[in-house]
Structures are given as C-alpha cells and as structure tokens.
Amino acid sequence: MTASLPARPFAAPDPTQAAPLRVLICDEMNPGHLEHAGFEIDYEGNLPREETLRRLPDYDALITRSRTKVDRELLEAAGERLKVIGRGGVGVDNIDLEACSRRGILVLNAPESNNVSAAELAITHLMAAARGLTRSDRLTRAGEWDRKFLGVELKDKTLGIVGLGRIGSIVADRAQGLRLNVVAFDPYVPENKFERLGVTRAAGLDDLLAQVDFLTVHTPLTEETQGMIGARELALLRPGAIVVNAARGGIVEEGALVEALKSGHLFGAGVDVFVDEPPTPEHVFLGAPNLGITAHLGANTREAQERVGAEIVGRVLAALHGDVSRGAVNAPALDAKTLELLGGYLDLGEKLGRILAQLLPGASDLEVTFRGEFPADPAPVVTAALVGYLSGSTDERPNMINARALAKERGLNLAVREEGDSPDYQTEVIVKVVSGTGGEKRRTRTVGGTVFGRSPRLTRLRDFRVELAPEGFILIASNQDRPGAVAKLSNLLGTWGVNIAGMALGRAEKGGQALFTLTLDDGLTPEQLQAIRDLDVIESAFLVRV
C-alpha cells in the first residue's frame, strides 16, 4: 500500500489568489461551457506535442483524451505549477500514474460519462444478433434477397449478465423494459442491490450460463476475468444462445466464440472489443458467421462525448478548489508524519481487506475495530481496508480518495469501532464483513492483524489466533484437532512440488475445532484445492492471494 502512495502530497492552489487558475485542454473533445469565474480555460484541440511541452509551464491543470502521452518528458517540462491532470473518458493508459503521483499531481477521469451509451450498444448488439441484421445486410448488398432467415424474439427470454456494476445495472434496466427476465452473476455485489434492481442472483457462473438464452458481459478485465468465458463456458449455454461482449477484449475468448458460432451452438454474437485493436485483416472475427462487429464504439455518442467533456472540466476545476472527491485515479500522499507513523497499518488494512474480498465477496457491511493506542489517528486505515476489499471488483481502481464513494455506490455499509486494549498485542486492527439479511443466508468473516515495527502480521482468522506474515498465497484450512491433519496435507502438497514457506496453528480448545494456515510459494489449481477439501481430515479449505 505505502509503495503506491506518492512521494509528494497533492496541494490545491489557493482559490483566493488574484490571478486566475489556468487550464489547458490539448486534445479534441466537447468541453462544454468554458467561462468559469476564477479560471482561464484554453481549448486547443489536437495541440502538437512540442507546443504542449512549451506552453504547459504556464498552466495549473491539463486535460487530455487518449492522444496525448503524459509521460516523464511532459511532466518534467510542466515544472512545479501543474497540479491536476484530467483524462476525458475511462482509461488512463496514456498517463504515467506513478510519475504523476511522485510529483504530487492528481489524476482524474470521468468513467461514468459513457455508461448509458455503452449499455445501449450492448442492447443494440443483442437485438441485431437476434434478428440477423449483420447477415441480412451482407447478403442484401451482395444481391441476395433472403427472406427465409428466422430470427428470435427477446420477449419472455432470459438474459444473463456477468458484472452488475454501473453499466451492467443499466443493461438490466433496459432489458426489463424489453420484457426480458434478467439473471446476473457478480460475487462482489451485495444482495440488496439485486433486490433493488429486480434481478435474480445466480449462485455461480455455471449456474447462470445453464439458464439463460442470451449472455452479455460487463466486468473489468482482470486476472480473474481474462478468458472467463471460454469453450467450456460457451458449451454450458443453451443451444441457440446469443453472446455479447461490449466490455473488454479477452473476457470472452475470441477463438472459442468463433468455434461456437461455426458449430451452430450459438445463434449469433456481437462484439465491440478486441484483444488487440485495431484487428489485423486475418483476425478470426472478420470471417465468423452471424457475428456483428463494431470498432469499440461504446462511448461514441454525441451525448456521451458532451458529458465526458463537461464532466472532466468540472472535476478538474473542483480539484483546483480542493474538492478531490470525484474521479480521482491516483491517491495523493498523506502528510509525511502520518505516513511515517501509519505506513505499516495502511499496508495491513489493505491486506486484511484483500483477504476478506476472497473469503466473502459481495458483503453488505464492513466493520473495522481498533484496539489499543495507535501512533496516530487510525482513520486512514479504514479507507485502506476498503481499498483492499474493493480491489479488482469495480470498474474504477479504488484508492485512498475514492474508496469510500465506491463502497457507498456498491451498497457496502461501513462501521468503525474503538475498543480498549488488545489482550495479546499493543495494537490490533480487526475487520469483519457480513453478507445476507439474516438466518441461514447471513454469513460473516473476520480477520485481524497488527504491526511489528513496520511489518504487518496476521493475528486472527475468525475466532482463532494465528500469527504469520500476510504475503503471497495463504492456504486456510479447518479441521478437528486430531493428530495427522497437517502431515496429510503437507504430504499432498509435497507430491505436487508446492513448498510451504510458513505455518501457523490455532484451536478453540483441545480436541475441538482447529484452524491452520500455510503460506505457499506457489498457487494451487482448482483441482488441487478440491483434492485438499476431499481429505478426510479437512473440513474446509480456502486459498487467498495477498
């Protein structure tokens, strides 16, 4: 956590100063109204790079799209005056975030501006595939008047959505207006959001695939989601299903999608994204049957472009006045003293949150308890825990600025408690998450830790005391306190060539339930984890990566 914090804190210019704050827009966009009291905004669409480098030292903020590369050369040319960089749109691939953070420059974007446009494009692809528009257009242009093709209606069919974030939620709303039944899979979204949207929650991805007529994906591209819809998953869909990917290239495996179309298992498909863009003339999509293709047009509507320009200008101006609550991509540093005192605890908080995200995703409540006397106000540790818990589950990258806003948007309730001394440590941070509304559906997971020097230590899993460094892969297993459990598990890991780097044991009472954790040098395959669960001495087993 601390390694990602910038070396110099963001300091907004004094808005009471006599001279106006200056903003340079160097890429083409629709920035909306540019007359704002106290600001001088210069719109120079497609400004040549050498001219941008020359003029930038005279500005407090820079606004770009994807054309301008914000690298070390540009930042060094900017000098000390530049405080904020705004990126119109979602991605920040053209911006060196680390270099900006080190210089104390705040980076903002406007990811929500194209949500409606992206959702509507996904629905468009679905409807086009259902009625064979791409096929009919191609044949008609070639002089073939084919009226024998039979499409399918959407009404009373079932749409499956993978990822119920901002865009997925809009797709669900639009789909219900088309009289579709909507089922979704998103382990990171709490139950109350499904209920609010009137969407059925699938127990898992396989469960979703088996019951839907149409499938659309709206999830970030991560290690977890890369290739998550492959040949096996496509085979689970009902014959004649339709698949749409207007999210990120690679979530649906390209080759597998084409094979499912060629075999006739899929009725049709629509894609707006490729792994490599633009595609080469030999790309497998270009010759695939019943496949509609667009050139990554999710954000390309007049309304979205107007919103993104006006939104990023507004956020940059707000940041120059000290309001950094919306759109922050990197995290300004805490002051040096606080960072020195709480650095280890920030790292601990993020790791505890990251562990819980894997043990119980989609929680409705997160509670942080502080025990003992901390060297400084531990409030930032709460935010660090949220950063860890939300990492990899949102369209935006969580950080110390936006984590609380993202948690609120996701429906995650936050509570903080302070207790007396810890019975075993000078200080202790305990994080608990809860999912479900009560009864059998209600589940909780609790982890705790402390800091030795500046090094985090895991001290608690559920009600068991443990002590180990939260690093790498951690295997968490429970069993009845009987001899031989650790030996059987260790022997099994040995047959796979998996080395144990550390071990911690805990038990409620002699002969009762016990829990042990192993830190491993390598991860485990799903089949290996299941083999561990099948051991007669193991009651449950989970693998987390910190």
Side-chain angles (χ1 to χ4, degrees):
M1 177 73 186
T2 54
S4 65
L5 291 171
R8 185 157 58 89
F10 165 72
D14 182 1
T16 64
Q17 63 187 19
L21 297 170
R22 301 192 68 199
V23 179
L24 174 64
I25 304 175
C26 64
D27 285 349
E28 188 173 349
M29 65 177 67
N30 186 340
H33 182 61
L34 296 181
E35 297 295 327
H36 297 270
F39 295 95
E40 180 182 315
I41 304 174
D42 292 331
Y43 175 61
E44 303 284 354
N46 295 322
L47 190 67
R49 180 175 177 85
E50 58 272 14
E51 189 65 10
T52 301
L53 296 178
R54 185 185 69 80
R55 295 177 57 176
L56 198 52
D58 296 328
Y59 289 88
D60 302 283
L62 174 70
I63 296 178
T64 76
R65 290 301 299 268
S66 58
R67 183 187 69 94
T68 297
K69 189 173 182 60
V70 181
D71 52 16
R72 293 179 185 273
E73 179 190 30
L74 183 143
L75 296 173
E76 289 174 1
E80 295 294 319
R81 182 169 176 175
L82 187 67
K83 294 294 186 294
V84 179
I85 293 174
R87 162 66 164 90
V90 180
V92 288
D93 296 343
N94 59 312
I95 299 176
D96 188 333
L97 291 178
E98 182 180 352
C100 289
S101 296
R102 289 187 177 279
R103 298 177 69 89
I105 297 173
L106 181 68
V107 179
L108 307 167
N109 67 353
E112 309 96 331
S113 302
N114 66 357
N115 289 347
V116 170
S117 295
E120 289 182 352
L121 181 63
I123 293 292
T124 300
H125 268 295
L126 174 60
M127 298 181 76
R131 299 307 300 270
L133 295 191
T134 299
R135 176 184 182 278
S136 184
D137 178 81
R138 175 175 51 82
L139 292 177
T140 303
R141 291 177 186 277
E144 183 176 347
W145 189 248
D146 180 13
R147 297 196 64 225
K148 296 180 180 180
F149 178 83
L150 293 178
V152 296
E153 290 185 349
L154 304 187
K155 179 177 176 290
D156 296 330
K157 302 295 197 311
T158 299
L159 172 67
I161 300 176
V162 178
L164 202 60
R166 293 192 184 112
I167 296 174
S169 297
I170 298 173
V171 170
D173 176 73
R174 302 300 190 268
Q176 289 166 335
L178 293 169
R179 302 284 298 277
L180 280 157
N181 304 309
V182 182
V183 182
F185 168 69
D186 192 328
Y188 301 104
V189 170
E191 188 67 34
N192 57 12
K193 183 172 183 179
F194 282 83
E195 295 171 355
R196 187 173 71 251
L197 294 172
V199 173
T200 301
R201 182 169 207 151
L205 180 59
D206 288 1
D207 176 56
L208 175 82
L209 298 172
Q211 61 179 304
V212 303
D213 303 290
F214 314 127
L215 178 72
T216 181
V217 295
H218 300 284
T219 182
L221 182 63
T222 65
E223 289 185 10
E224 180 183 5
T225 63
Q226 176 78 42
M228 73 181 302
I229 307 297
R232 188 190 77 85
E233 288 75 22
L234 292 172
L236 293 176
L237 289 167
R238 295 171 178 173
I242 292 173
V243 174
V244 173
N245 182 13
R248 289 289 184 270
I251 296 174
V252 179
E253 288 186 1
E254 294 179 338
L257 181 64
V258 171
E259 288 304 314
L261 288 167
K262 288 181 176 179
S263 71
H265 179 65
L266 294 182
F267 182 84
V271 296
D272 183 49
V273 288
F274 296 72
V275 173
D276 297 311
E277 297 179 354
T280 64
E282 298 79 25
H283 196 283
V284 291
F285 278 172
L286 302 186
N290 302 325
L291 175 64
I293 297 172
T294 48
H296 207 147
L297 300 180
N300 287 29
T301 62
R302 293 192 182 109
E303 294 83 356
Q305 295 309 305
E306 289 173 358
R307 281 195 300 269
V308 74
E311 187 68 28
I312 195 60
V313 169
R315 292 184 180 189
V316 166
L317 301 189
L320 288 173
H321 273 167
D323 179 2
V324 297
S325 60
R326 300 190 65 201
V329 177
N330 62 340
L334 301 169
D335 63 87
K337 182 178 180 181
T338 301
L339 188 58
E340 175 65 25
L341 294 173
L342 288 181
Y345 291 100
L346 295 173
D347 195 11
L348 171 68
E350 182 174 350
K351 289 182 175 181
L352 295 180
R354 196 177 296 274
I355 291 171
L356 286 171
Q358 297 168 75
L359 295 178
L360 188 60
S364 57
D365 298 271
L366 184 146
E367 179 183 281
V368 181
T369 300
F370 295 110
R371 290 178 174 175
E373 294 292 330
F374 287 79
D377 181 0
V381 181
V382 178
T383 308
L386 286 174
V387 170
Y389 189 76
L390 296 172
S391 293
S393 67
T394 64
D395 297 333
E396 292 184 60
R397 180 188 305 178
N399 55 51
M400 294 294 287
I401 297 174
N402 65 14
R404 289 179 182 254
L406 292 177
K408 182 177 180 181
E409 179 181 287
R410 189 163 281 271
L412 180 62
N413 301 313
L414 181 64
V416 181
R417 299 175 57 196
E418 293 185 10
E419 296 182 353
D421 295 339
S422 167
D424 300 298
Y425 301 95
Q426 183 176 353
T427 59
E428 193 170 19
V429 180
I430 300 171
V431 185
K432 179 174 74 173
V433 291
V434 181
S435 73
T437 56
E440 294 182 359
K441 288 186 176 181
R442 182 178 173 87
R443 295 188 296 162
T444 66
R445 293 290 184 272
T446 305
V447 296
T450 190
V451 173
F452 296 158
R454 293 185 62 87
S455 301
R457 287 291 187 276
L458 195 63
T459 61
R460 176 190 180 110
L461 284 166
R462 294 185 355 212
D463 294 326
F464 297 97
R465 284 296 187 185
V466 298
E467 188 174 308
L468 78 159
E471 301 289 348
F473 296 95
I474 303 177
L475 178 63
I476 304 169
S478 64
N479 65 296
Q480 288 297 309
D481 185 26
R482 297 194 303 268
V486 176
K488 281 191 175 183
L489 178 53
S490 299
N491 289 336
L492 186 59
L493 292 172
T495 63
W496 297 329
V498 177
N499 188 52
I500 299 173
M503 179 185 301
L505 306 175
R507 64 183 182 182
E509 59 183 18
K510 184 177 181 180
Q513 191 176 46
L515 180 141
F516 61 95
T517 57
L518 305 176
T519 53
L520 309 177
D521 287 344
D522 303 292
L524 300 172
T525 66
E527 293 76 18
Q528 289 173 332
L529 186 58
Q530 187 58 49
I532 292 172
R533 291 169 175 158
D534 291 340
L535 289 173
D536 58 359
V537 293
I538 299 297
E539 293 183 351
S540 66
F542 299 91
L543 183 72
V544 298
R545 184 175 185 178
V546 184

mmCIF file of all heavy atoms in Angstrom, residues 499-516:
data_model
loop_
_atom_site.group_PDB
_atom_site.id
_atom_site.type_symbol
_atom_site.label_atom_id
_atom_site.label_comp_id
_atom_site.label_asym_id
_atom_site.label_seq_id
_atom_site.Cartn_x
_atom_site.Cartn_y
_atom_site.Cartn_z
ATOM 1 N N ASN A 499 5.915 -25.788 -2.211
ATOM 2 C CA ASN A 499 6.703 -25.598 -0.992
ATOM 3 C C ASN A 499 5.950 -24.758 0.033
ATOM 4 O O ASN A 499 5.290 -23.781 -0.300
ATOM 5 C CB ASN A 499 8.029 -24.903 -1.329
ATOM 6 C CG ASN A 499 8.966 -24.866 -0.135
ATOM 7 O OD1 ASN A 499 9.236 -25.893 0.479
ATOM 8 N ND2 ASN A 499 9.450 -23.684 0.203
ATOM 9 N N ILE A 500 6.038 -25.155 1.308
ATOM 10 C CA ILE A 500 5.429 -24.417 2.412
ATOM 11 C C ILE A 500 6.450 -23.432 2.962
ATOM 12 O O ILE A 500 7.522 -23.832 3.418
ATOM 13 C CB ILE A 500 4.956 -25.374 3.525
ATOM 14 C CG1 ILE A 500 3.908 -26.344 2.979
ATOM 15 C CG2 ILE A 500 4.393 -24.584 4.701
ATOM 16 C CD1 ILE A 500 3.514 -27.424 3.968
ATOM 17 N N ALA A 501 6.119 -22.137 2.923
ATOM 18 C CA ALA A 501 7.049 -21.114 3.394
ATOM 19 C C ALA A 501 6.838 -20.774 4.860
ATOM 20 O O ALA A 501 7.757 -20.297 5.534
ATOM 21 C CB ALA A 501 6.895 -19.842 2.545
ATOM 22 N N GLY A 502 5.643 -20.988 5.377
ATOM 23 C CA GLY A 502 5.360 -20.666 6.773
ATOM 24 C C GLY A 502 4.099 -21.359 7.230
ATOM 25 O O GLY A 502 3.274 -21.790 6.419
ATOM 26 N N MET A 503 3.926 -21.460 8.542
ATOM 27 C CA MET A 503 2.768 -22.169 9.085
ATOM 28 C C MET A 503 2.348 -21.522 10.397
ATOM 29 O O MET A 503 3.183 -21.049 11.178
ATOM 30 C CB MET A 503 3.096 -23.644 9.312
ATOM 31 C CG MET A 503 1.957 -24.468 9.908
ATOM 32 S SD MET A 503 2.454 -26.181 10.277
ATOM 33 C CE MET A 503 2.952 -26.740 8.653
ATOM 34 N N ALA A 504 1.032 -21.487 10.655
ATOM 35 C CA ALA A 504 0.509 -21.019 11.936
ATOM 36 C C ALA A 504 -0.681 -21.885 12.299
ATOM 37 O O ALA A 504 -1.510 -22.215 11.439
ATOM 38 C CB ALA A 504 0.094 -19.553 11.852
ATOM 39 N N LEU A 505 -0.772 -22.276 13.576
ATOM 40 C CA LEU A 505 -1.826 -23.159 14.055
ATOM 41 C C LEU A 505 -2.663 -22.443 15.099
ATOM 42 O O LEU A 505 -2.160 -21.612 15.859
ATOM 43 C CB LEU A 505 -1.234 -24.433 14.665
ATOM 44 C CG LEU A 505 -0.267 -25.230 13.788
ATOM 45 C CD1 LEU A 505 0.320 -26.387 14.575
ATOM 46 C CD2 LEU A 505 -0.971 -25.733 12.543
ATOM 47 N N GLY A 506 -3.952 -22.782 15.152
ATOM 48 C CA GLY A 506 -4.828 -22.226 16.182
ATOM 49 C C GLY A 506 -5.959 -23.192 16.458
ATOM 50 O O GLY A 506 -6.360 -23.962 15.595
ATOM 51 N N ARG A 507 -6.471 -23.175 17.697
ATOM 52 C CA ARG A 507 -7.598 -24.041 18.028
ATOM 53 C C ARG A 507 -8.427 -23.400 19.138
ATOM 54 O O ARG A 507 -7.917 -22.611 19.946
ATOM 55 C CB ARG A 507 -7.134 -25.418 18.463
ATOM 56 C CG ARG A 507 -6.318 -25.437 19.740
ATOM 57 C CD ARG A 507 -5.839 -26.834 20.054
ATOM 58 N NE ARG A 507 -5.094 -26.857 21.317
ATOM 59 C CZ ARG A 507 -4.524 -27.950 21.829
ATOM 60 N NH1 ARG A 507 -4.608 -29.099 21.173
ATOM 61 N NH2 ARG A 507 -3.873 -27.895 22.976
ATOM 62 N N ALA A 508 -9.738 -23.741 19.146
ATOM 63 C CA ALA A 508 -10.616 -23.197 20.176
ATOM 64 C C ALA A 508 -10.364 -23.879 21.509
ATOM 65 O O ALA A 508 -10.304 -23.241 22.558
ATOM 66 C CB ALA A 508 -12.070 -23.369 19.746
ATOM 67 N N GLU A 509 -10.204 -25.201 21.468
ATOM 68 C CA GLU A 509 -9.927 -25.977 22.678
ATOM 69 C C GLU A 509 -9.343 -27.309 22.261
ATOM 70 O O GLU A 509 -9.463 -27.733 21.110
ATOM 71 C CB GLU A 509 -11.213 -26.196 23.491
ATOM 72 C CG GLU A 509 -12.287 -26.926 22.724
ATOM 73 C CD GLU A 509 -13.578 -27.074 23.510
ATOM 74 O OE1 GLU A 509 -13.757 -26.341 24.495
ATOM 75 O OE2 GLU A 509 -14.407 -27.930 23.122
ATOM 76 N N LYS A 510 -8.718 -27.996 23.187
ATOM 77 C CA LYS A 510 -8.096 -29.268 22.887
ATOM 78 C C LYS A 510 -9.139 -30.264 22.407
ATOM 79 O O LYS A 510 -10.170 -30.465 23.048
ATOM 80 C CB LYS A 510 -7.395 -29.814 24.134
ATOM 81 C CG LYS A 510 -6.624 -31.111 23.886
ATOM 82 C CD LYS A 510 -5.896 -31.557 25.129
ATOM 83 C CE LYS A 510 -5.114 -32.837 24.870
ATOM 84 N NZ LYS A 510 -4.390 -33.293 26.086
ATOM 85 N N GLY A 511 -8.895 -30.859 21.255
ATOM 86 C CA GLY A 511 -9.815 -31.820 20.693
ATOM 87 C C GLY A 511 -10.983 -31.212 19.943
ATOM 88 O O GLY A 511 -11.790 -31.924 19.343
ATOM 89 N N GLY A 512 -11.109 -29.870 19.970
ATOM 90 C CA GLY A 512 -12.204 -29.197 19.286
ATOM 91 C C GLY A 512 -11.826 -28.803 17.877
ATOM 92 O O GLY A 512 -10.913 -29.376 17.271
ATOM 93 N N GLN A 513 -12.518 -27.791 17.365
ATOM 94 C CA GLN A 513 -12.213 -27.344 16.009
ATOM 95 C C GLN A 513 -10.891 -26.594 15.993
ATOM 96 O O GLN A 513 -10.587 -25.824 16.906
ATOM 97 C CB GLN A 513 -13.324 -26.464 15.462
ATOM 98 C CG GLN A 513 -13.175 -26.207 13.962
ATOM 99 C CD GLN A 513 -14.327 -25.425 13.391
ATOM 100 O OE1 GLN A 513 -14.750 -24.438 13.969
ATOM 101 N NE2 GLN A 513 -14.853 -25.869 12.256
ATOM 102 N N ALA A 514 -10.105 -26.842 14.980
ATOM 103 C CA ALA A 514 -8.797 -26.204 14.836
ATOM 104 C C ALA A 514 -8.696 -25.570 13.455
ATOM 105 O O ALA A 514 -9.435 -25.917 12.533
ATOM 106 C CB ALA A 514 -7.674 -27.226 15.040
ATOM 107 N N LEU A 515 -7.783 -24.644 13.342
ATOM 108 C CA LEU A 515 -7.547 -23.971 12.073
ATOM 109 C C LEU A 515 -6.043 -23.810 11.894
ATOM 110 O O LEU A 515 -5.332 -23.482 12.850
ATOM 111 C CB LEU A 515 -8.238 -22.610 12.055
ATOM 112 C CG LEU A 515 -8.092 -21.759 10.787
ATOM 113 C CD1 LEU A 515 -9.398 -21.046 10.485
ATOM 114 C CD2 LEU A 515 -6.973 -20.742 10.941
ATOM 115 N N PHE A 516 -5.565 -24.089 10.704
ATOM 116 C CA PHE A 516 -4.150 -23.838 10.438
ATOM 117 C C PHE A 516 -3.995 -23.165 9.085
ATOM 118 O O PHE A 516 -4.805 -23.349 8.179
ATOM 119 C CB PHE A 516 -3.306 -25.112 10.544
ATOM 120 C CG PHE A 516 -3.671 -26.201 9.585
ATOM 121 C CD1 PHE A 516 -3.006 -26.354 8.380
ATOM 122 C CD2 PHE A 516 -4.664 -27.118 9.912
ATOM 123 C CE1 PHE A 516 -3.319 -27.376 7.523
ATOM 124 C CE2 PHE A 516 -4.994 -28.149 9.054
ATOM 125 C CZ PHE A 516 -4.324 -28.282 7.845
#
